[in-house]
Amino acid sequence: LIRMGKPEWDNPMQFVLACVSYAVGLGNVWRFPYLCQMHGGGGFLIPYLLMLVLLGVPLFYMELAIGQKMHLGSIGAWRAISPYLGGVGLASVVTSMYLCLYYNVINAWSFWYLFHSFQSVLPWAECPVNSNLTGHVEECERATPTQYFFYRETLDISGSIEENGGIHMGQALCLLLAWMIVYLFIVKGVKSTGKVVYFTATFPYLVLIIYLIRGVTLHGAINGVKYMFTPKMEQLANPTTWINAATQIFFSLGLGFGSLIAFASYNQYNNNFEKQAIIVSMVNSSTSIFASIVTFSIYGFKATFNYESCLERVRLLLLNTFDLSEDTISLENVNHWIAELNRTHPEQFANLGGRLETCDLEAELDTAVEGTGLAFIVYSEAIKNMPVSQLWSVLYFIMLLLLGMGSMLGNVIAVITPLSDLKFISRVLSYPVGLVCLFCLLLGLGFTTRSGNYWFTMFNDYGATFSLLFIVLIEVITVCYIYGIKRFEKDVEDMLGHRLNWYWKIMLAGVSPMLLITLFIFYIVNYIQGGTPTYQAWNKELGKSVVTEYPPYAQAFIGLLLASSVCCIPLTALYTYCKKRNLASGKRERTVSA
């Protein structure tokens, strides 16, 4: 089963750093804080840590064991277990390919923001002047400068997925740069990747520590941190909380993509992957919590800044309307004066009408922002209000780039390693790394068009979730009930020198499969009950995103995304069965004729 002459990591530390660099990604910085906010702050940590123990660590351990034992990529490893299971690896490759297509677009956005950070005034700090030079651009005034810069300058977004437009040349060049760097990082295989991960795995932590020191010293930061750690225990009764905790563990560790199997295939046969599985899982989850403290301190600063700006506008309105002296009303007693003036001057107060804003710090903190909105809009808005904002902007977007690049290395290796293991492909393709990168770049240009962000969202929402649940469910059933837990146990003993302990056996043979089946059923039920799939379309007249239904052709494409990778498993099994049957009948015919 072991292919001789395959390159290996220089040392176990390189492998651990490669896994950390891959597993610790953008999801730790934006998705985990969002889920914390949505599901009860500190209370969310309870289901999150339980799912880590019951699902994340055992499956991570299993994938590392398979890769190290077989010394092959995902396709070769599963084919070695059974010829009928080559489709499991193929499904992982297809899923990783989808991820490669759109994930590097985020790196392109990071480059775009990084290049725009070297200006005396950050371009998302204020609205641009209109063509008549008489005021600011109306769309920007209806939205905010940070939203305008993201949707109009960065994406030049259309009003819906049905409105197509040309390629955004700036974004296309940033995407080309992102793919060139990925190519240079992995062109020499595991030897060059091993050197790169020393930087991509460690530098983001340095930036996060710097940001933590800066974040907790910002005015109002404590409001955000308190909000994060104030548990809303009623959320534990919500099944969606548990489902989201499981899927966050699942995706942040990178299970089912084939990357972990590919990484482990470059290990020495007796490498202690058991200890490494626990270390990487713990580092990944600790990073999520650590990054959340940083995020919520900055989020608290932004919310407090917006809240106090609102109070200041109300203070000035009251001072001007009721002709009071400047020092009469302060930010601390605004609410007292609102009640007092309403009581003493009801008619004059009533004339204020819609000009009197309602300022609420809790409402500011409750405003949930997911995904790219948190990374590129909320952070940018907070950065622009910091002293020496250009420095913080450069640091932040370099960190995002390194997190994104570290994950991209794993995604591309998950595609290239199994393809290189296939003899007929390795004979035809002399330069698989370059061809895979070029192929993904050309298709990825579609995401740089005016409607490209809507397709990006579609791939992000539907390209991996369903297929990964199915892939990992098949993986764990295969290992425990087709390959056999006893046989797997002997393999582990052969590599590590000791047998599986009770924890790994109970989790892999019972708890993890049951949890995966529950997740899988819930996903299907949720998808069916959800009705017509929707997306957030940018409305420039309103200056905000509005919920819009996908058109029929886009819904059909979503169905294709959901089914394409999963179909690889039964179709490959059917192909193998038919091939074996034809070979058997051919042999019988030759025997009869002889």
Side-chain angles (χ1 to χ4, degrees):
L1 292 177
I2 300 170
R3 184 152 59 84
M4 301 303 292
K6 183 160 183 166
E8 293 178 342
W9 301 104
D10 287 347
N11 53 64
M13 181 55 73
Q14 275 192 2
F15 169 67
V16 170
L17 288 175
C19 288
V20 167
S21 182
Y22 169 63
V24 176
L26 300 169
N28 300 72
V29 175
W30 69 42
R31 193 167 186 266
F32 183 81
Y34 164 75
L35 291 173
C36 265
Q37 183 185 30
M38 192 167 77
H39 293 300
F44 180 71
L45 295 177
I46 297 169
Y48 176 78
L49 294 173
L50 268 173
M51 288 298 173
L52 174 68
V53 173
L54 300 178
L55 196 63
V57 180
L59 295 175
F60 197 87
Y61 174 91
M62 182 192 77
E63 289 206 354
L64 294 190
I66 292 293
Q68 188 165 307
K69 170 65 182 174
M70 302 304 176
H71 235 49
L72 294 164
S74 52
I75 296 175
W78 295 109
R79 277 175 67 189
I81 289 172
S82 168
Y84 294 101
L85 290 171
V88 178
L90 192 58
S92 293
V93 170
V94 171
T95 307
S96 291
M97 182 65 83
Y98 288 158
L99 199 65
C100 286
L101 288 178
Y102 77 86
Y103 201 93
N104 225 11
V105 175
I106 303 170
N107 292 329
W109 296 342
S110 297
F111 271 123
W112 176 263
Y113 271 80
L114 179 63
F115 297 150
H116 280 83
S117 299
F118 298 97
Q119 296 184 28
S120 55
V121 177
L122 292 175
W124 55 85
E126 53 190 43
C127 287
V129 178
N130 62 24
S131 55
N132 299 327
L133 305 178
T134 54
H136 293 121
V137 174
E138 283 185 27
E139 183 184 354
C140 182
E141 288 186 324
R142 283 191 287 265
T144 63
T146 45
Q147 284 180 316
Y148 180 82
F149 184 80
F150 181 68
Y151 287 109
R152 185 58 52 219
E153 302 288 342
T154 305
L155 304 178
D156 192 21
I157 200 165
S158 61
S160 77
I161 197 169
E162 294 173 271
E163 293 176 36
N164 297 311
I167 286 174
H168 186 313
M169 195 49 66
Q171 283 303 311
L173 290 172
C174 286
L175 185 62
L176 173 64
L177 177 61
W179 272 113
M180 283 171 67
I181 290 173
V182 169
Y183 172 74
L184 292 172
F185 279 179
I186 58 176
V187 66
K188 290 185 179 174
V190 72
K191 293 297 178 188
S192 60
T193 306
K195 301 292 188 293
V196 168
V197 293
Y198 283 114
F199 187 62
T200 60
T202 55
F203 189 77
Y205 286 99
L206 177 63
V207 177
L208 278 174
I209 290 166
I210 294 168
Y211 251 98
L212 178 69
I213 295 165
R214 180 69 189 112
V216 295
T217 58
L218 289 168
H219 174 59
I222 192 68
N223 294 326
V225 177
K226 270 186 196 170
Y227 184 87
M228 176 192 167
F229 283 108
T230 305
K232 296 171 186 169
M233 300 308 283
E234 67 274 10
Q235 281 288 335
L236 294 179
N238 180 2
T240 309
T241 303
W242 294 84
I243 295 294
N244 280 339
T247 49
Q248 175 61 17
I249 285 288
F250 198 74
F251 296 118
S252 69
L253 285 175
L255 301 167
F257 287 105
S259 304
L260 299 173
I261 293 174
F263 279 148
S265 73
Y266 297 107
N267 277 337
Q268 291 181 358
Y269 188 69
N270 298 113
N271 173 63
N272 189 352
F273 64 86
E274 183 173 274
K275 186 170 73 173
Q276 292 165 340
I278 295 167
I279 289 169
V280 174
S281 301
M282 294 303 145
V283 167
N284 181 57
S285 296
S286 304
T287 305
S288 290
I289 297 166
F290 176 49
S292 283
I293 296 169
V294 177
T295 298
F296 273 92
S297 65
I298 289 169
Y299 202 63
F301 163 67
K302 172 194 167 286
T304 305
F305 182 87
N306 289 350
Y307 170 65
E308 290 183 351
S309 298
C310 174
L311 289 177
E312 179 61 22
R313 289 193 296 273
V314 170
R315 188 182 83 87
L316 291 173
L317 179 66
L318 295 178
L319 290 173
N320 295 332
T321 304
F322 296 96
D323 200 24
L324 299 166
S325 62
E326 184 70 26
D327 58 350
T328 309
I329 304 175
S330 65
L331 293 183
E332 287 72 30
N333 63 15
V334 165
N335 290 323
H336 165 75
W337 275 100
I338 289 173
E340 184 66 22
L341 292 169
N342 191 19
R343 185 177 63 80
T344 54
H345 301 79
E347 288 182 17
Q348 202 176 352
F349 195 87
N351 289 335
L352 291 174
R355 289 186 295 159
L356 187 68
E357 298 176 67
T358 304
C359 305
D360 187 349
L361 178 60
E362 195 68 19
E364 286 286 348
L365 288 165
D366 276 336
T367 308
V369 182
E370 187 182 10
T372 51
L374 181 60
F376 291 98
I377 296 173
V378 174
Y379 261 93
S380 297
E381 197 166 315
I383 286 167
K384 78 177 186 185
N385 296 316
M386 291 182 190
V388 203
S389 54
Q390 291 82 356
L391 171 66
W392 298 108
S393 183
V394 168
L395 268 178
Y396 174 67
F397 290 110
I398 286 176
M399 181 190 74
L400 270 196
L401 268 170
L402 289 173
L403 288 172
M405 285 294 174
S407 297
M408 273 305 297
L409 297 182
N411 297 334
V412 177
I413 285 173
V415 175
I416 290 165
T417 302
L419 290 181
S420 302
D421 289 335
L422 298 174
K423 289 178 183 174
F424 72 94
I425 288 183
S426 59
R427 278 200 300 267
V428 174
L429 301 181
S430 305
Y431 305 100
V433 177
L435 287 169
V436 166
C437 290
L438 181 63
F439 176 76
C440 291
L441 167 65
L442 293 175
L443 286 184
L445 288 173
F447 297 117
T448 67
T449 61
R450 293 195 65 216
S451 61
N453 189 57
Y454 303 129
W455 292 96
F456 170 91
T457 305
M458 189 191 296
F459 270 78
N460 192 34
D461 290 345
Y462 301 104
T465 316
F466 179 74
S467 56
L468 287 183
L469 285 171
F470 189 67
I471 289 165
V472 178
L473 178 59
I474 296 295
E475 283 184 359
V476 75
I477 289 171
T478 296
V479 168
C480 296
Y481 300 106
I482 297 175
Y483 189 68
I485 194 77
K486 287 190 175 177
R487 198 170 161 195
F488 180 67
E489 194 175 8
K490 283 178 184 173
D491 289 343
V492 169
E493 187 177 16
D494 193 32
M495 287 185 283
L496 301 181
H498 63 80
R499 297 177 82 81
L500 280 175
N501 64 35
W502 61 270
Y503 167 72
W504 302 117
K505 284 185 193 175
I506 292 170
M507 292 301 123
L508 289 173
V511 177
S512 296
M514 290 304 297
L515 269 173
L516 284 167
I517 289 167
T518 307
L519 282 169
F520 192 67
I521 292 168
F522 182 86
Y523 184 89
I524 293 169
V525 170
N526 214 32
Y527 182 74
I528 293 167
Q529 289 180 344
T532 306
T534 59
Y535 66 102
Q536 297 280 340
W538 179 252
N539 187 313
K540 65 179 183 181
E541 277 73 36
L542 298 175
K544 65 178 183 179
S545 297
V546 292
V547 177
T548 310
E549 288 188 354
Y550 279 111
Y553 69 85
Q555 292 176 42
F557 190 81
I558 288 171
L560 185 66
L561 272 181
L562 290 171
S564 54
S565 51
V566 171
C567 283
C568 294
I569 298 171
L571 290 176
T572 304
L574 183 65
Y575 170 76
T576 305
Y577 172 76
C578 293
K579 191 177 174 184
K580 283 196 169 187
R581 197 172 172 184
N582 289 339
L583 283 171
S585 61
K587 280 180 183 176
R588 278 200 301 271
E589 283 173 16
R590 284 196 296 274
T591 305
V592 171
S593 61

